[in-house]
Amino acid sequence: MSDSDKRKYSSQVLDGADRAPSRAMLYPVGFTKDDFTKPKIGVASTWSQVTPCNFHIDKLAKESAKGVDAAGGKSVIFNTITISDGISMGTEGMKYSLVSREVIADSIETVVGCEGMDGYVAIGGCDKNMPGCVMAMARMNRASVFVYGGTILPGCATLKGEEKELDIVSVFEAVGKHASGEYSDEELQAVEESAIPGAGSCGGMYTANTMASAIEALGMSLPNSSAQAAVSDDKMRDCFDAGAAVLHLLEKGIKPRDIMTRKAFENAITVVIALGGSTNAVLHLLAMAHAAEVELSIDDFTEIGKRVPVLADLKPSGKYVMAELVKIGGTVPLMKMLLEAGLLHGDCLTVTGKTVAENLANSPLEYPEGQDVVRPLSNPIKKDSHLRILYGNLAPGGAVAKISGKEGESFTGRARVFECEEDAMTAILNGSIVAGDVIVIRREGPKGGPGMREMLGPTAAVMGRGLGDSVALITDGRFSGGSHGFVAGHITPEAFDGGPIGLLEEGDEITIDAVSNRIDMKVSEEEMAARKARWVQPEPHYKRGVLAKFAKLTATASQGAVTDGSL
């Protein structure tokens, strides 16, 4: 590719006598005369002191900038926002979480488009900024590479005379144990102080590690970017190499939509299932595919899930944290296993400029003998997917469940109906929820919440109170990657739109069946019609500001809750 083609966008902003004012603005921020002849490469940093997931990313961004400059580009670091689910969980603030995904994508698109970036690196460390970064890449379709900020190391505390590894979900579950009397005030304090030892994203196969793995499998990150500790030499090298990789992509003329194909999304879904990943992967992969104008639906998760087993014994349902997967070689050996079994498309292009098969052929990594973090295909944890797309008279537009099999494969119980998360949480902690209950948390959907709050607090409290195998929870909101138990979310249509979940009444019988992929309520069609006739759409919770804007623009959960264009 010619130098002028590499500078397709920056030349419009910087070249010619009439652009002297533009160049003048850049001398003070570090440009020299020669820099105006180089491709202008952005480094989108999600650095913030808001959360440990992102507070080291300023260093990573500087390292990526070094990689850009060493490869012959001119780097420009800029920031976007991040929020913390772990901090805002269970409060009104959590309604901004999913909204932040759209704000992040919009803000990166805005800077890259306005400033004439020829390409960019984007570095994310928490749940929403990862899909947000990739959505912007798909929209702009300029040479770009995603870098994962990396996983946190586990915390540790001595509880009841036993040393235990901890993470953020341990704290949420400790709240339930404290409410039940199992943990004292001092023990809850010990968990709180010890669970988060430093920088990095939440340690299990929760949403951050799930999405990092999905993006790598999609081809938009360098090999093993998803399986490195946040504070490590490997992560610093990954950042430097990503900066250089953008220049290589420019040279080769490779753009994100050359990589983010239908088959690449199938690879991403395959790896998410094999790792036992978060239900949020459904929501975010649909949104990323929409940005790339690739056809993808919730039913694709069902079809792929029929042939892909769960192999990784990772939290929340499993035993290990992500740091243990890092120790044994990360995601690359897993992808080699899947490729050799014919479960991955090896011909998909990646940000290395090579195909998935070529990348894996060049890697000597194999899992060591004796490890039990990742099972062989001959002995899976679950023979098919844990992510179940459910339909039925309670969710005619679909719902998403995460059923590991440990909690059973079906559940029937009586509805306990709550109009918001806080009311449900109160009932769980005060002992009002008992075995056989199906907790229904509604008006938490994309429009009704708005923003689809995650129900980690209630699901963790259920676990902490020892009800994990005797209580189910359903919602038109969503779940944290740390949630486990018999749970089903993303119920569509949502309550705010008059969906059946909004018509449920206390005591209605509900059945969730993860074998037939059904979610139904035992209410006659005549009774449902009568309830529908009495139903009145509630007033929106917000009428001004970003939450109101999101509620007005958002698609359904089954369409990824995207806001950029009609579906």
Side-chain angles (χ1 to χ4, degrees):
M1 179 177 285
S2 68
D3 289 344
S4 61
D5 288 334
K6 293 179 195 173
R7 297 187 62 249
K8 177 179 177 181
Y9 301 101
S10 61
S11 62
Q12 298 172 32
V13 177
L14 299 175
D15 289 5
D18 62 323
R19 303 312 304 168
S22 303
R23 296 191 294 274
M25 292 287 285
L26 291 171
Y27 282 108
V29 301
F31 274 64
T32 66
K33 183 179 177 181
D34 288 345
D35 289 333
F36 294 112
T37 65
K38 301 173 183 176
K40 187 179 180 183
I41 306 298
V43 179
S45 169
T46 57
W47 173 82
S48 172
Q49 287 184 308
V50 164
T51 168
C53 308
N54 292 66
F55 88 101
H56 63 304
I57 284 179
D58 56 338
K59 294 176 182 152
L60 302 187
K62 290 172 184 174
E63 198 66 18
S64 281
K66 289 179 186 176
V68 168
D69 295 340
K74 176 55 184 172
S75 61
V76 178
I77 298 175
F78 65 95
N79 275 86
T80 184
I81 66 161
T82 191
I83 55 87
S84 172
D85 294 351
I87 296 170
S88 63
M89 195 76 71
T91 72
E92 194 73 2
M94 185 62 189
K95 292 182 177 180
Y96 290 89
S97 172
L98 183 58
V99 177
S100 77
R101 183 191 72 185
E102 305 299 297
V103 174
I104 290 161
D106 291 350
S107 66
I108 293 175
E109 176 187 347
T110 299
V111 175
V112 170
C114 178
E115 299 302 320
M117 305 290 188
D118 297 302
Y120 59 102
V121 177
I123 308 173
C126 199
D127 298 7
K128 310 311 164 304
N129 48 61
M130 289 187 276
C133 288
V134 177
M135 287 161 66
M137 291 173 174
R139 291 182 195 172
M140 299 304 287
N141 204 30
R142 302 182 191 184
S144 47
V145 177
F146 178 78
V147 174
Y148 178 40
T151 188
I152 200 171
L153 298 176
C156 183
T158 300
L159 299 164
K160 302 190 182 302
E162 182 181 350
E163 193 172 270
K164 291 192 174 182
E165 284 194 348
L166 304 170
D167 61 16
I168 185 61
V169 176
S170 308
V171 190
F172 281 95
E173 293 185 357
V175 172
K177 292 180 179 181
H178 179 261
S180 70
E182 182 180 344
Y183 276 3
S184 66
D185 290 349
E186 292 75 20
E187 286 170 320
L188 177 61
Q189 183 68 27
V191 174
E192 173 188 325
E193 290 179 353
S194 307
I196 314 293
S201 297
C202 300
M205 189 45 64
Y206 310 144
T207 304
N209 284 317
T210 296
M211 291 314 302
S213 303
I215 293 166
E216 181 184 326
L218 188 66
M220 289 302 296
S221 293
L222 296 174
N224 253 351
S225 180
S226 67
Q228 295 164 341
V231 181
S232 67
D233 291 341
D234 285 345
K235 183 48 64 184
M236 294 296 277
R237 279 192 293 272
D238 182 42
C239 292
F240 185 93
D241 291 345
V246 174
L247 275 298
H248 181 65
L249 292 172
L250 268 179
E251 180 69 38
K252 297 289 187 182
I254 298 172
K255 299 175 182 177
R257 293 195 188 190
D258 298 323
I259 296 169
M260 297 169 66
T261 62
R262 163 73 191 204
K263 291 200 294 185
F265 277 99
E266 292 179 0
N267 283 349
I269 294 170
T270 295
V271 169
V272 165
I273 293 169
L275 288 170
S278 166
T279 53
N280 281 315
V282 179
L283 196 72
H284 296 324
L285 285 170
L286 290 173
M288 289 155 57
H290 172 70
E293 298 185 273
V294 169
E295 290 291 329
L296 194 71
S297 77
I298 54 174
D299 298 327
D300 292 315
F301 288 81
T302 297
E303 290 307 308
I304 293 169
K306 291 175 182 177
R307 60 180 183 268
V308 179
V310 178
L311 300 175
D313 192 12
L314 295 169
K315 289 187 175 184
S317 298
K319 178 179 179 182
Y320 295 105
V321 294
M322 189 69 175
E324 296 300 322
L325 181 63
V326 173
K327 284 180 186 177
I328 64 168
T331 48
V332 167
L334 172 66
M335 289 181 66
K336 288 178 75 171
M337 289 169 54
L338 295 170
L339 179 67
E340 289 167 2
L343 296 173
L344 286 183
H345 301 290
D347 58 342
C348 289
L349 195 59
T350 74
V351 291
T352 65
K354 298 177 181 177
T355 65
V356 168
E358 289 170 333
N359 287 341
L360 296 176
N362 291 336
S363 172
L365 286 175
E366 302 283 352
Y367 288 133
E369 291 288 333
Q371 66 80 27
D372 61 349
V373 180
V374 178
R375 298 262 194 97
L377 285 159
S378 59
N379 181 30
I381 290 169
K382 191 171 186 291
K383 64 181 177 60
D384 57 2
S385 180
H386 63 301
L387 297 177
R388 315 302 289 194
I389 305 302
L390 311 177
Y391 289 97
N393 67 359
L394 187 46
V400 181
K402 182 167 137 181
I403 308 296
S404 70
K406 295 179 181 178
E407 55 284 277
E409 293 184 320
S410 67
F411 189 98
T412 298
R414 57 192 171 273
R416 298 294 310 279
V417 181
F418 302 94
E419 301 298 332
C420 65
E421 177 186 359
E422 288 86 349
D423 290 351
M425 190 69 170
T426 298
I428 295 165
L429 293 179
N430 70 20
S432 298
I433 299 300
V434 298
D437 285 347
V438 179
I439 302 165
V440 179
I441 306 178
R442 65 190 181 193
R443 284 205 68 191
E444 294 286 2
K447 296 178 184 177
M452 291 189 80
R453 285 195 289 183
E454 292 179 348
M455 302 299 150
L456 178 56
T459 58
V462 165
M463 288 293 175
R465 289 196 70 95
L467 295 168
D469 59 354
S470 59
V471 165
L473 191 154
I474 68 171
T475 180
D476 53 5
R478 60 198 174 93
F479 295 105
S480 163
S483 294
H484 57 125
F486 222 104
V487 297
H490 306 206
I491 290 180
T492 305
E494 61 175 290
F496 184 81
D497 284 337
I501 188 173
L503 307 177
L504 276 169
E505 294 182 359
E506 193 82 3
D508 285 345
E509 184 176 292
I510 296 171
T511 297
I512 307 165
D513 189 330
V515 177
S516 61
N517 294 332
R518 300 281 306 179
I519 181 166
D520 292 292
M521 53 185 176
K522 195 174 181 181
V523 179
S524 70
E525 291 184 10
E526 293 78 13
E527 173 61 16
M528 285 299 293
R531 292 182 189 181
K532 182 70 173 178
R534 296 192 300 267
W535 179 80
V536 177
Q537 186 173 57
E539 284 291 309
H541 287 130
Y542 289 87
K543 297 182 180 180
R544 298 286 296 274
V546 70
L547 293 177
K549 188 186 301 183
F550 179 88
K552 184 175 182 179
L553 295 173
T554 186
T556 70
S558 290
Q559 296 167 316
V562 297
T563 60
D564 65 325
S566 60
L567 282 159

